[in-house]
Amino acid sequence: MATQDSEWIFVDTVDALDEEDFMRFDHGGETYILYKVKGEMFATDGLCTHEAQHLEDGVLIGHIIECPLHQGRFDIRSGKCAGGPVCEHLNTYRVKIEGDKLFIEL
Ligand code: FES
């Protein structure tokens, strides 16, 4: 969740993400995932809340990211748990595009 201290961090150019695709982004010692689904951009924490598996190795099914380790599922729009052994939500972050540049609010 954004705070008063949050800022927009440059991630990459927009063409780095294809439709129905996602990518890992590391910043400040933390890991995030940015997604593009149906033309919309989303961002969540990059580590599963169950056993800290990297979600970059997971599978994206519509708006659901599935963890590769125990198949825990999260809705990338809200970060909420959507199945499997996970019970703690992911944090979500705002994403914006300026020109051909992609930013995440951290
Ligand atoms: S580490 Fe992700 S579901 Fe277990």
PDB file of all heavy atoms in Angstrom, residues 48-53 55 67-74 85-86, ligand 1:
ATOM      1  N   CYS A  48       6.198 -15.492  -2.437  1.00  0.00           N
ATOM      2  CA  CYS A  48       5.004 -16.127  -1.876  1.00  0.00           C
ATOM      3  C   CYS A  48       5.012 -15.952  -0.355  1.00  0.00           C
ATOM      4  O   CYS A  48       6.056 -16.044   0.288  1.00  0.00           O
ATOM      5  CB  CYS A  48       5.016 -17.610  -2.246  1.00  0.00           C
ATOM      6  SG  CYS A  48       3.581 -18.507  -1.631  1.00  0.00           S
ATOM      7  N   THR A  49       3.833 -15.714   0.215  1.00  0.00           N
ATOM      8  CA  THR A  49       3.728 -15.517   1.658  1.00  0.00           C
ATOM      9  C   THR A  49       3.762 -16.837   2.427  1.00  0.00           C
ATOM     10  O   THR A  49       3.807 -16.832   3.652  1.00  0.00           O
ATOM     11  CB  THR A  49       2.427 -14.782   2.007  1.00  0.00           C
ATOM     12  OG1 THR A  49       1.322 -15.549   1.499  1.00  0.00           O
ATOM     13  CG2 THR A  49       2.402 -13.385   1.402  1.00  0.00           C
ATOM     14  N   HIS A  50       3.751 -17.959   1.728  1.00  0.00           N
ATOM     15  CA  HIS A  50       3.760 -19.255   2.410  1.00  0.00           C
ATOM     16  C   HIS A  50       5.170 -19.628   2.841  1.00  0.00           C
ATOM     17  O   HIS A  50       5.445 -19.713   4.035  1.00  0.00           O
ATOM     18  CB  HIS A  50       3.153 -20.323   1.481  1.00  0.00           C
ATOM     19  CG  HIS A  50       3.047 -21.672   2.108  1.00  0.00           C
ATOM     20  ND1 HIS A  50       3.483 -22.817   1.477  1.00  0.00           N
ATOM     21  CD2 HIS A  50       2.563 -22.047   3.310  1.00  0.00           C
ATOM     22  CE1 HIS A  50       3.247 -23.854   2.277  1.00  0.00           C
ATOM     23  NE2 HIS A  50       2.691 -23.414   3.384  1.00  0.00           N
ATOM     24  N   GLU A  51       6.071 -19.802   1.875  1.00  0.00           N
ATOM     25  CA  GLU A  51       7.455 -20.142   2.226  1.00  0.00           C
ATOM     26  C   GLU A  51       8.445 -19.357   1.380  1.00  0.00           C
ATOM     27  O   GLU A  51       9.526 -19.856   1.052  1.00  0.00           O
ATOM     28  CB  GLU A  51       7.703 -21.648   2.096  1.00  0.00           C
ATOM     29  CG  GLU A  51       6.995 -22.451   3.172  1.00  0.00           C
ATOM     30  CD  GLU A  51       7.332 -23.928   3.140  1.00  0.00           C
ATOM     31  OE1 GLU A  51       8.202 -24.350   2.353  1.00  0.00           O
ATOM     32  OE2 GLU A  51       6.697 -24.664   3.912  1.00  0.00           O
ATOM     33  N   ALA A  52       8.063 -18.142   1.035  1.00  0.00           N
ATOM     34  CA  ALA A  52       8.962 -17.192   0.370  1.00  0.00           C
ATOM     35  C   ALA A  52       9.547 -17.692  -0.950  1.00  0.00           C
ATOM     36  O   ALA A  52      10.658 -17.336  -1.320  1.00  0.00           O
ATOM     37  CB  ALA A  52      10.081 -16.770   1.308  1.00  0.00           C
ATOM     38  N   GLN A  53       8.783 -18.489  -1.663  1.00  0.00           N
ATOM     39  CA  GLN A  53       9.187 -18.908  -3.005  1.00  0.00           C
ATOM     40  C   GLN A  53       9.042 -17.738  -3.969  1.00  0.00           C
ATOM     41  O   GLN A  53       8.080 -16.967  -3.873  1.00  0.00           O
ATOM     42  CB  GLN A  53       8.299 -20.080  -3.464  1.00  0.00           C
ATOM     43  CG  GLN A  53       8.511 -20.519  -4.885  1.00  0.00           C
ATOM     44  CD  GLN A  53       9.857 -21.207  -5.102  1.00  0.00           C
ATOM     45  OE1 GLN A  53      10.379 -21.843  -4.198  1.00  0.00           O
ATOM     46  NE2 GLN A  53      10.412 -21.059  -6.286  1.00  0.00           N
ATOM     47  N   LEU A  55       7.791 -15.895  -6.954  1.00  0.00           N
ATOM     48  CA  LEU A  55       6.627 -16.070  -7.817  1.00  0.00           C
ATOM     49  C   LEU A  55       6.973 -15.895  -9.291  1.00  0.00           C
ATOM     50  O   LEU A  55       6.177 -16.235 -10.159  1.00  0.00           O
ATOM     51  CB  LEU A  55       5.521 -15.098  -7.401  1.00  0.00           C
ATOM     52  CG  LEU A  55       4.937 -15.391  -6.015  1.00  0.00           C
ATOM     53  CD1 LEU A  55       4.005 -14.272  -5.595  1.00  0.00           C
ATOM     54  CD2 LEU A  55       4.226 -16.737  -5.999  1.00  0.00           C
ATOM     55  N   CYS A  67       1.874 -20.103  -7.271  1.00  0.00           N
ATOM     56  CA  CYS A  67       3.222 -20.355  -6.767  1.00  0.00           C
ATOM     57  C   CYS A  67       3.717 -21.712  -7.259  1.00  0.00           C
ATOM     58  O   CYS A  67       2.972 -22.694  -7.228  1.00  0.00           O
ATOM     59  CB  CYS A  67       3.198 -20.316  -5.245  1.00  0.00           C
ATOM     60  SG  CYS A  67       4.787 -20.699  -4.494  1.00  0.00           S
ATOM     61  N   PRO A  68       4.985 -21.783  -7.681  1.00  0.00           N
ATOM     62  CA  PRO A  68       5.485 -23.046  -8.226  1.00  0.00           C
ATOM     63  C   PRO A  68       5.759 -24.117  -7.169  1.00  0.00           C
ATOM     64  O   PRO A  68       5.867 -25.284  -7.505  1.00  0.00           O
ATOM     65  CB  PRO A  68       6.790 -22.631  -8.915  1.00  0.00           C
ATOM     66  CG  PRO A  68       7.250 -21.438  -8.154  1.00  0.00           C
ATOM     67  CD  PRO A  68       5.987 -20.712  -7.760  1.00  0.00           C
ATOM     68  N   LEU A  69       5.845 -23.714  -5.896  1.00  0.00           N
ATOM     69  CA  LEU A  69       6.270 -24.695  -4.894  1.00  0.00           C
ATOM     70  C   LEU A  69       5.123 -25.566  -4.384  1.00  0.00           C
ATOM     71  O   LEU A  69       5.212 -26.787  -4.396  1.00  0.00           O
ATOM     72  CB  LEU A  69       6.955 -23.971  -3.727  1.00  0.00           C
ATOM     73  CG  LEU A  69       7.781 -24.840  -2.795  1.00  0.00           C
ATOM     74  CD1 LEU A  69       8.787 -25.684  -3.550  1.00  0.00           C
ATOM     75  CD2 LEU A  69       8.487 -23.979  -1.749  1.00  0.00           C
ATOM     76  N   HIS A  70       4.039 -24.930  -3.912  1.00  0.00           N
ATOM     77  CA  HIS A  70       2.901 -25.709  -3.392  1.00  0.00           C
ATOM     78  C   HIS A  70       1.592 -25.283  -4.041  1.00  0.00           C
ATOM     79  O   HIS A  70       0.518 -25.529  -3.510  1.00  0.00           O
ATOM     80  CB  HIS A  70       2.781 -25.541  -1.873  1.00  0.00           C
ATOM     81  CG  HIS A  70       4.047 -25.783  -1.130  1.00  0.00           C
ATOM     82  ND1 HIS A  70       4.742 -24.785  -0.486  1.00  0.00           N
ATOM     83  CD2 HIS A  70       4.783 -26.917  -0.958  1.00  0.00           C
ATOM     84  CE1 HIS A  70       5.839 -25.292   0.076  1.00  0.00           C
ATOM     85  NE2 HIS A  70       5.888 -26.579  -0.208  1.00  0.00           N
ATOM     86  N   GLN A  71       1.702 -24.562  -5.157  1.00  0.00           N
ATOM     87  CA  GLN A  71       0.531 -24.146  -5.931  1.00  0.00           C
ATOM     88  C   GLN A  71      -0.419 -23.229  -5.153  1.00  0.00           C
ATOM     89  O   GLN A  71      -1.632 -23.224  -5.391  1.00  0.00           O
ATOM     90  CB  GLN A  71      -0.240 -25.371  -6.483  1.00  0.00           C
ATOM     91  CG  GLN A  71       0.496 -26.098  -7.584  1.00  0.00           C
ATOM     92  CD  GLN A  71       1.729 -26.868  -7.074  1.00  0.00           C
ATOM     93  OE1 GLN A  71       1.602 -27.686  -6.169  1.00  0.00           O
ATOM     94  NE2 GLN A  71       2.899 -26.583  -7.635  1.00  0.00           N
ATOM     95  N   GLY A  72       0.123 -22.462  -4.225  1.00  0.00           N
ATOM     96  CA  GLY A  72      -0.683 -21.404  -3.607  1.00  0.00           C
ATOM     97  C   GLY A  72      -1.044 -20.380  -4.667  1.00  0.00           C
ATOM     98  O   GLY A  72      -0.267 -20.110  -5.581  1.00  0.00           O
ATOM     99  N   ARG A  73      -2.237 -19.811  -4.554  1.00  0.00           N
ATOM    100  CA  ARG A  73      -2.711 -18.874  -5.578  1.00  0.00           C
ATOM    101  C   ARG A  73      -3.074 -17.526  -4.972  1.00  0.00           C
ATOM    102  O   ARG A  73      -3.633 -17.474  -3.860  1.00  0.00           O
ATOM    103  CB  ARG A  73      -3.935 -19.453  -6.299  1.00  0.00           C
ATOM    104  CG  ARG A  73      -3.611 -20.653  -7.150  1.00  0.00           C
ATOM    105  CD  ARG A  73      -4.837 -21.212  -7.814  1.00  0.00           C
ATOM    106  NE  ARG A  73      -4.464 -22.138  -8.867  1.00  0.00           N
ATOM    107  CZ  ARG A  73      -5.220 -22.422  -9.919  1.00  0.00           C
ATOM    108  NH1 ARG A  73      -6.403 -21.857 -10.058  1.00  0.00           N
ATOM    109  NH2 ARG A  73      -4.805 -23.266 -10.830  1.00  0.00           N
ATOM    110  N   PHE A  74      -2.789 -16.475  -5.740  1.00  0.00           N
ATOM    111  CA  PHE A  74      -3.126 -15.114  -5.336  1.00  0.00           C
ATOM    112  C   PHE A  74      -3.771 -14.400  -6.515  1.00  0.00           C
ATOM    113  O   PHE A  74      -3.351 -14.574  -7.661  1.00  0.00           O
ATOM    114  CB  PHE A  74      -1.866 -14.332  -4.954  1.00  0.00           C
ATOM    115  CG  PHE A  74      -1.067 -14.946  -3.847  1.00  0.00           C
ATOM    116  CD1 PHE A  74      -0.034 -15.829  -4.136  1.00  0.00           C
ATOM    117  CD2 PHE A  74      -1.334 -14.634  -2.519  1.00  0.00           C
ATOM    118  CE1 PHE A  74       0.719 -16.392  -3.114  1.00  0.00           C
ATOM    119  CE2 PHE A  74      -0.581 -15.192  -1.499  1.00  0.00           C
ATOM    120  CZ  PHE A  74       0.453 -16.082  -1.792  1.00  0.00           C
ATOM    121  N   PRO A  85      -2.261 -23.535  -0.051  1.00  0.00           N
ATOM    122  CA  PRO A  85      -1.937 -23.436   1.375  1.00  0.00           C
ATOM    123  C   PRO A  85      -1.697 -22.010   1.872  1.00  0.00           C
ATOM    124  O   PRO A  85      -1.388 -21.822   3.039  1.00  0.00           O
ATOM    125  CB  PRO A  85      -0.647 -24.255   1.476  1.00  0.00           C
ATOM    126  CG  PRO A  85       0.013 -24.059   0.152  1.00  0.00           C
ATOM    127  CD  PRO A  85      -1.113 -23.988  -0.851  1.00  0.00           C
ATOM    128  N   VAL A  86      -1.826 -21.012   1.023  1.00  0.00           N
ATOM    129  CA  VAL A  86      -1.515 -19.648   1.442  1.00  0.00           C
ATOM    130  C   VAL A  86      -2.658 -19.039   2.247  1.00  0.00           C
ATOM    131  O   VAL A  86      -3.828 -19.287   1.958  1.00  0.00           O
ATOM    132  CB  VAL A  86      -1.185 -18.748   0.232  1.00  0.00           C
ATOM    133  CG1 VAL A  86       0.073 -19.231  -0.447  1.00  0.00           C
ATOM    134  CG2 VAL A  86      -2.337 -18.717  -0.761  1.00  0.00           C
TER     135      VAL A  86
HETATM  136  S1  FES B   1       5.806 -21.446  -1.021  1.00  0.00           S
HETATM  137 FE1  FES B   1       4.153 -20.717  -2.237  1.00  0.00          FE
HETATM  138  S2  FES B   1       2.536 -22.074  -1.808  1.00  0.00           S
HETATM  139 FE2  FES B   1       4.165 -22.772  -0.563  1.00  0.00          FE
END
